[in-house]
Amino acid sequence: MTDRNQENKSNALLLGVMGDPIGHSMSPVMHNIALEAAGLPGMYVPLHVKPDHLAEAVIGAKALGFAGFNVTIPHKVEIMKLLDELDESAISCGAVNTVVIREGRMKGYNTDGIGYVRSLREEAGELTGKQVTVLGAGGAARGIIYALLKEKVAGITIINRTVDKAVQLIEELNTSGAAMQTATYEELEQYLPQTDIFINTTSIGMHPNVDETPVAAEQIPEGIIVSDLIYNPMETRLLREARTRGCRTVGGLGMFIYQGAYAYEYWTGQDAPVSLMHSAVLEALNHENH
Ligand code: NAP
């Protein structure tokens, strides 16, 4: 082995994603291709971590010299108390999806919300002043509502099966002065006509339940923007039906790519090769579904 190879090995960037389950994660494909394209020696690995072992795994990652890692279901909240520092994005969302380890200190970030908003803005245009209806009040909703408020949307209506969770989310997030309210599924019909952007953050319609949809097609106002955080399938029944009603539709793949791109930028200090990451995930998803 040459000296240069040895130097590369010792500087290799160790990255990964902790989750349970983790087998189907597209993050390794996306990050490994990015590292390779940038000529950065390193590797991003799937790490199957059961909830009982999260604390040990985090200490282990630090001991092993990881530069950082992603965290996915079910660890996004639990990990917060195991870190040295939290970025404002993580505090406001109440969840961490990205950890950066530098000089032995671990800092948690949340890139889900900003990743989503970047993808929504790219595909649907300016968000300022828009009236938004969000279905769901889980971890993903929290991140995207936080980021939408930063974009100065005019108002957000949250509709969730468990109404108390939506009420609590508003209490925790509404610091920007935007009009926020909760509503029930029964009241959806009343709110949809005033909606510019309708976002599904629930898992209704996700593989394998691809025939499910959270709203009847005829309830979707014609010509609005309809978005679904789900990216498997890439076009959910909701998006397919919205498209037939003349709506502009935005799927969850862009969010996934951009949350990864922001994490990559935190770890490496370099711009992420977004289009390459996008095509690698697209190919892997197509391969998985055939
Ligand atoms: P979560 O924290 O478990 O929240 C799930 C939400 O869906 C809750 O609001 C829940 O309502 C609602 N829900 C689930 N099943 C329902 C049903 N049958 N009827 C009505 N409401 C239902 O999950 P999450 O982390 O927020 O993820 C939600 C979705 O976003 C998933 O499909 C996930 O794949 C997607 N996501 C995508 C990305 C991306 O990068 N594109 C990133 C993160 C998440 P209750 O509160 O009443 O239980």
Side-chain angles (χ1 to χ4, degrees):
M1 192 185 281
T2 64
D3 284 353
R4 177 153 169 69
N5 278 341
Q6 266 169 358
E7 189 189 322
N8 279 351
K9 288 255 181 233
S10 65
N11 288 337
L13 211 54
L14 283 177
L15 300 165
V17 52
M18 295 186 187
D20 176 29
I22 202 64
H24 289 283
S25 172
M26 291 287 152
S27 291
V29 164
M30 175 167 79
H31 284 290
N32 281 323
I33 202 139
L35 291 172
E36 200 184 315
L40 289 172
M43 186 172 277
Y44 184 109
V45 288
L47 300 162
H48 189 185
V49 177
K50 295 270 181 201
D52 284 355
H53 292 132
L54 181 64
E56 290 161 278
V58 167
I59 294 168
K62 187 163 125 178
L64 290 166
F66 273 63
F69 52 89
N70 284 126
V71 197
T72 187
I73 292 170
H75 306 312
K76 286 185 178 184
V77 175
E78 213 44 43
I79 188 137
M80 294 180 77
K81 56 176 181 274
L82 303 171
L83 304 174
D84 299 304
E85 205 182 331
L86 295 171
D87 182 61
E88 190 226 325
S89 60
I91 296 169
S92 305
C93 298
V96 162
N97 78 325
T98 302
V99 175
V100 177
I101 308 176
R102 210 159 276 155
E103 289 164 9
R105 282 183 65 78
M106 295 188 285
K107 182 168 177 179
Y109 297 80
N110 192 306
T111 67
D112 280 334
I114 51 172
Y116 175 73
V117 161
R118 184 158 155 190
S119 127
L120 183 65
R121 234 190 4 230
E122 228 169 58
E123 297 185 50
E126 191 52 58
L127 306 177
T128 307
K130 294 287 195 297
Q131 199 61 45
V132 185
T133 297
V134 175
L135 279 194
R142 201 171 264 273
I144 69 149
I145 291 170
Y146 160 76
L148 286 168
L149 289 172
K150 288 203 144 204
E151 294 294 309
K152 306 220 177 311
V153 295
I156 302 180
T157 302
I158 307 175
I159 295 178
N160 195 45
R161 179 176 56 182
T162 313
V163 178
D164 285 356
K165 272 169 71 179
V167 172
Q168 194 188 339
L169 209 160
I170 288 183
E171 278 169 11
E172 288 172 25
L173 283 178
N174 193 13
T175 51
S176 77
M180 290 183 76
Q181 58 193 343
T182 63
T184 62
Y185 272 89
E186 290 70 38
E187 291 168 323
L188 189 59
E189 208 157 357
Q190 184 183 322
Y191 286 98
L192 275 177
Q194 291 116 53
T195 299
D196 300 308
I197 306 175
F198 176 67
I199 307 169
N200 176 39
T201 78
T202 76
S203 41
I204 302 170
M206 187 164 81
H207 182 82
N209 304 314
V210 295
D211 293 331
E212 293 179 2
T213 187
V215 287
E218 57 276 14
Q219 278 191 303
I220 305 171
E222 288 177 5
I224 67 166
I225 293 162
V226 177
S227 176
D228 201 326
L229 264 53
I230 294 168
Y231 63 88
N232 190 8
M234 265 179 287
E235 186 177 61
T236 55
R237 179 174 163 195
L238 170 70
L239 294 189
R240 200 168 56 245
E241 292 179 345
R243 193 162 45 80
T244 64
R245 293 183 62 81
C247 297
R248 196 163 340 154
T249 61
V250 182
L253 188 60
M255 168 179 179
F256 178 70
I257 305 297
Y258 280 127
Q259 63 75 29
Y262 281 118
Y264 177 93
E265 287 166 9
Y266 283 135
W267 294 323
T268 66
Q270 299 187 12
D271 288 346
V274 173
S275 63
L276 193 68
M277 291 161 84
H278 186 269
S279 47
V281 174
L282 213 54
E283 194 183 317
L285 278 173
N286 284 334
H287 188 257
E288 197 181 65
N289 291 334
H290 287 110

